[in-house]
Amino acid sequence: MAFEANKTIFTGVGPLPQPAPQLAPHVLDLFSLKGKVASVSGSSTGIGFAVAEAYAQAGADVAIWYNSHPTEEKAAELSKKYGVRVLAYKCQVTDPVAVEETVAKIAKDFGKIDIFVANAGVPWTKGPLIDPPDHSEWNKVVDLDLNGVYYCSKAVGRIFKQQGFGSLIFTASMSGHIVNFPQLQASYNAIKAAVVHLARSLAVEWAPYARVNSISPGYIATEISDFVPKDIKAKWWSLTPMGREGLPQELVGAYLYLASDASTYTTGSDIKVDGGYSAP
């Protein structure tokens, strides 16, 4: 059945079409973050710090978040090395009041927030779901890996709506798509699946003023997996088509794409960077 030419199509997010962005003609300019402000939670080490540094290299001013690892010196080094403004903020992302205050302070200090990466997270380390004697470990992982993402999203989403623009990026995991083996981590898998779906849901909800996407890393060589025995890691490698863990730097291209004007028509997407683990 053909639609009437003058009939408004209700999409839940407003009538179509919406205006297209004015984009730079050169592809390298599309990937530039000059003039943008990026905020990255959980960025004192590991993936978060690699992303923060990549954004600084691409020309963005950057707000680095930390909780237990002071990052002021790293922020000063990035600022000096790349000629951008980099400030460090201490915030526990499981505290919604602290998150609201930190996001508001960043917006005040920098004048805006173009990009927010909700990256802070912890692994599940207790094996089978039924083994821990109480619920504290479950609550810990849910609070940091899911509730923390929610608190950050809610706070920065209000900034994005007020500005009329923004890009929110979640660090999810391939564990949100597959069940890892041989380690047993049912809670982590379920929580990361929720993070992926939250990104999709917010992408629709925020479509008039912001983009929301997620990135699902595979096994990445960072401090977060230092507790894993070498024989377990050897099993990971055998199940990964590329036969190894990834480097944090091998993730930053995906984060740069989703942060930049190269991805202005990308929302509600998840990018897997897992060495092929979830492909079979």
Side-chain angles (χ1 to χ4, degrees):
M1 179 183 295
F3 288 103
E4 297 174 18
N6 62 349
K7 189 173 183 179
T8 298
I9 302 173
F10 181 73
T11 66
V13 296
L16 297 178
Q18 296 184 30
Q22 297 295 315
L23 298 176
H26 197 291
V27 67
L28 294 183
D29 292 327
L30 289 178
F31 282 94
S32 172
L33 299 184
K34 290 181 180 178
K36 295 184 182 292
V37 174
S39 180
V40 186
S41 73
S43 51
S44 60
T45 60
I47 292 172
F49 184 76
V51 171
E53 182 170 23
Y55 286 171
Q57 290 171 340
D61 293 329
V62 183
I64 294 178
W65 292 42
Y66 71 93
N67 181 42
S68 56
H69 298 89
T71 315
E72 283 82 2
E73 288 188 8
K74 285 186 174 182
E77 290 172 1
L78 290 181
S79 181
K80 182 178 180 180
K81 186 173 183 179
Y82 300 114
V84 295
R85 191 179 182 200
V86 183
L87 299 177
Y89 296 81
K90 179 177 172 58
C91 180
Q92 172 55 266
V93 298
T94 58
D95 180 344
V97 174
V99 169
E100 290 274 359
E101 292 174 348
T102 302
V103 169
K105 182 168 176 50
I106 292 168
K108 182 179 179 181
D109 290 346
F110 289 91
K112 62 173 180 173
I113 301 175
D114 296 276
I115 305 144
F116 192 100
V117 180
N119 174 75
V122 291
W124 173 268
T125 62
K126 301 300 182 180
L129 186 70
I130 61 175
D131 281 2
D134 57 32
H135 306 300
S136 60
E137 191 68 16
W138 168 272
N139 291 336
K140 173 186 173 183
V141 179
V142 169
D143 284 345
L144 190 52
D145 292 9
L146 181 57
N147 290 343
V149 169
Y150 159 67
Y151 299 144
C152 290
S153 300
K154 190 169 186 177
V156 79
R158 291 169 174 163
I159 300 291
F160 287 170
K161 186 174 183 180
Q162 183 179 30
Q163 297 174 160
F165 59 86
S167 176
L168 176 61
I169 305 165
F170 294 162
T171 297
S173 173
M174 69 176 184
S175 303
H177 301 272
I178 51 87
V179 176
N180 303 69
F181 184 82
Q183 77 273 28
L184 303 176
Q185 51 179 45
S187 66
Y188 185 82
N189 299 343
I191 291 161
K192 288 300 186 178
V195 169
V196 172
H197 205 57
L198 178 61
R200 293 191 185 115
S201 301
L202 290 180
V204 174
E205 185 175 314
W206 296 4
Y209 54 86
R211 298 183 296 107
V212 187
N213 296 282
S214 60
I215 293 173
S216 289
Y219 295 118
I220 306 297
T222 68
E223 299 90 338
I224 200 171
S225 62
D226 284 348
F227 71 94
V228 180
K230 288 186 176 180
D231 61 323
I232 299 297
K233 287 195 173 187
K235 185 67 174 178
W236 294 356
W237 304 333
S238 71
L239 293 171
T240 302
M242 293 188 73
R244 62 176 176 87
E245 292 171 89
L247 302 173
Q249 292 87 342
E250 293 179 295
L251 289 169
V252 299
Y255 284 92
L256 178 60
Y257 168 69
L258 292 177
S260 73
D261 288 346
S263 63
T264 51
Y265 199 56
T266 303
T267 196
S269 294
D270 177 83
I271 300 177
K272 298 175 189 175
V273 187
D274 63 2
Y277 188 100
S278 56

